[in-house]
Amino acid sequence: KAKDHGRDCFQFYTSVMHQHAKARSVLESALHKALSNRELSLVYQPIFAQLGSAEVVGCEVLLRWKSELLGHVSPEQFIPVCEELGLILPIGEWVLYHACSQAKAWQDNYGNPLFIAVNVSSIQFKRQDMVELVKKVLRDTKLEAKYLTLEITESVLVDNSDKILAQLKALRALGVELAIDDFGTGYSSLSYLKRFPLSKLKIDRTFIRDLPEDEEDKALVSAIILMAHKLNLKVIAEGVETPAQCMFLKGLLCDMTQGYFHSKPLNQSDFEENILTTAYHKQNHN
Ligand code: C2E
Ligand code: MG
Ligand code: MG
Ligand code: MG
């Protein structure tokens, strides 16, 4: 009886594996065509200063994929596959180029010097000369280096390679800013905060979600902000969804906030209409 049961499990398992493998190969072949079929697009989520005038100071660029075959696929699903297939190199280059030229166009058209934050995968640092790429993109788009922030996760830093450290130092020397993304969710060594030339720290939204009620999260978030400020890092809270969270973070002197409370990620025209036009008017009428 137990044997029968085991066999059923095995059959179930192989059928799930098979379906999984099939879905995966469909995803892979669809991804190969995504860039040339113009199925990729960018959305922009505003980042707000928390202290002082509470105005928009920057935005994060987020990749969207609407596949002809599969419909909308979330970056959490397709980015890891892009990384495995090496497709993150051409796609990452496309994102960087478009993000920088968009930021430059917005500065020129709206007179609003926003920074633009671009997510960069560890694969890009390992398999590409990011310094040469960034230099070329900044030159082509005429965006000043100080308006570009590269968001990297702890996985880039734990790699511990001299090659990556050298690239990050060279990027910083160009004037590009570096942010550590999803802080607190990766590996627990803090030594990289000292070794790497970071300028911003983004607290992962899992620590923000249960604020201001959860006592442990309150303790962690206030300690992270204090530590970051001592290390001369600006702090951005991710996933801020409620006014209470925003108020609480302001009380802790968190520098910037990002999340649905202010705005979801917006396409170019909505960002211009809802964010830039308002900021533009504010600037001119004050
Ligand atoms: P991330 O860099 O941590 O980006 C923040 C994610 O949180 C985004 O998810 C954003 O839509 C979501 N978010 C923002 N505010 C809120 C909020 O208030 N509540 C909640 N629940 N979520 C919020 P998204 O766009 O699905 O992207 C997921 C991840 O995919 C990103 O996490 C990033 O790691 C990766 N990703 C996105 N675009 C790119 C890209 O161009 N290149 C690379 N390498 N990775 C990217
Ligand atoms: Mg990010
Ligand atoms: Mg994040
Ligand atoms: Mg994330």
Side-chain angles (χ1 to χ4, degrees):
K1 217 177 178 188
K3 217 174 174 183
D4 287 353
H5 187 67
R7 197 180 54 210
D8 285 350
C9 275
F10 180 71
Q11 276 171 355
F12 174 72
Y13 184 66
T14 48
S15 133
V16 167
M17 290 285 287
H18 181 67
Q19 279 167 25
H20 182 79
K22 227 165 67 182
R24 169 64 193 237
S25 79
V26 171
L27 186 67
E28 284 186 13
S29 60
L31 258 180
H32 276 293
K33 293 176 216 138
L35 196 55
S36 54
N37 280 1
R38 299 167 161 272
E39 295 174 351
L40 299 175
S41 62
L42 299 178
V43 288
Y44 307 85
Q45 187 174 36
I47 298 173
F48 286 78
Q50 188 67 1
L51 311 168
S53 52
E55 64 198 339
V56 60
V57 287
C59 67
E60 178 173 8
V61 179
L62 296 157
L63 193 53
R64 291 294 175 261
W65 179 29
K66 190 180 178 203
S67 155
E68 195 188 342
L69 208 66
L70 303 165
H72 286 282
V73 185
S74 90
E76 247 126 40
Q77 285 178 285
F78 75 79
I79 300 266
V81 183
C82 287
E83 290 177 333
E84 280 175 51
L85 298 175
L87 285 171
I88 197 68
L89 301 184
I91 290 175
E93 207 170 314
W94 180 84
V95 171
L96 185 68
Y97 189 89
H98 280 265
C100 290
S101 68
Q102 184 62 80
K104 174 65 175 158
W106 281 340
Q107 291 183 355
D108 291 350
N109 299 336
Y110 293 88
N112 201 332
L114 300 183
F115 71 79
I116 194 132
V118 177
N119 293 285
V120 182
S121 151
S122 61
I123 310 289
Q124 292 174 271
F125 282 100
K126 273 183 226 161
R127 305 225 336 236
Q128 207 171 26
D129 187 344
M130 281 304 288
V131 183
E132 278 313 306
L133 176 62
V134 167
K135 269 191 195 163
K136 180 179 176 316
V137 170
L138 292 175
R139 200 187 319 121
D140 289 353
T141 60
K142 302 189 169 64
L143 182 73
E144 266 186 81
K146 66 177 178 186
Y147 296 118
L148 174 63
T149 297
L150 300 181
E151 296 196 359
I152 56 184
T153 57
E154 288 164 283
S155 67
V156 174
L157 305 182
V158 289
D159 221 281
N160 216 354
S161 91
D162 293 340
K163 192 179 163 198
I164 291 178
L165 181 60
Q167 289 183 68
L168 295 177
K169 283 186 170 158
L171 286 164
R172 193 73 198 93
L174 286 179
V176 172
E177 307 229 340
L178 301 171
I180 171 111
D181 201 357
D182 303 340
F183 181 78
T185 57
Y187 304 82
S188 54
S189 162
L190 292 176
S191 61
Y192 59 74
L193 291 180
K194 192 173 108 180
R195 288 202 306 129
F196 291 93
L198 303 165
S199 35
K200 298 173 188 160
L201 179 155
K202 300 187 78 171
I203 304 178
D204 191 72
R205 67 166 185 267
T206 54
F207 299 103
I208 307 299
R209 193 183 49 216
D210 299 324
L211 293 181
E213 286 83 24
D214 188 282
E215 290 300 327
E216 274 104 5
D217 286 334
K218 270 162 81 167
L220 285 169
V221 168
S222 56
I224 291 170
I225 294 171
L226 280 174
M227 174 190 70
H229 284 164
K230 294 256 184 209
L231 294 168
N232 272 322
L233 300 169
K234 296 270 186 246
V235 181
I236 303 173
E238 300 189 296
V240 176
E241 296 185 352
T242 69
Q245 289 169 344
C246 207
M247 289 273 284
F248 179 79
L249 289 160
K250 187 173 179 161
L252 295 180
L253 306 182
C254 181
D255 303 278
M256 290 167 263
T257 49
Q258 176 183 357
Y260 298 166
F261 170 61
H262 297 295
S263 168
K264 294 209 169 191
L266 303 169
N267 66 29
Q268 179 192 339
S269 65
D270 288 344
F271 193 89
E272 289 172 357
E273 239 170 79
N274 302 349
I275 306 296
L276 292 176
T277 309
T278 335
Y280 183 68
H281 285 309
K282 227 196 274 170
Q283 214 174 52
N284 282 281
H285 294 301
N286 285 349

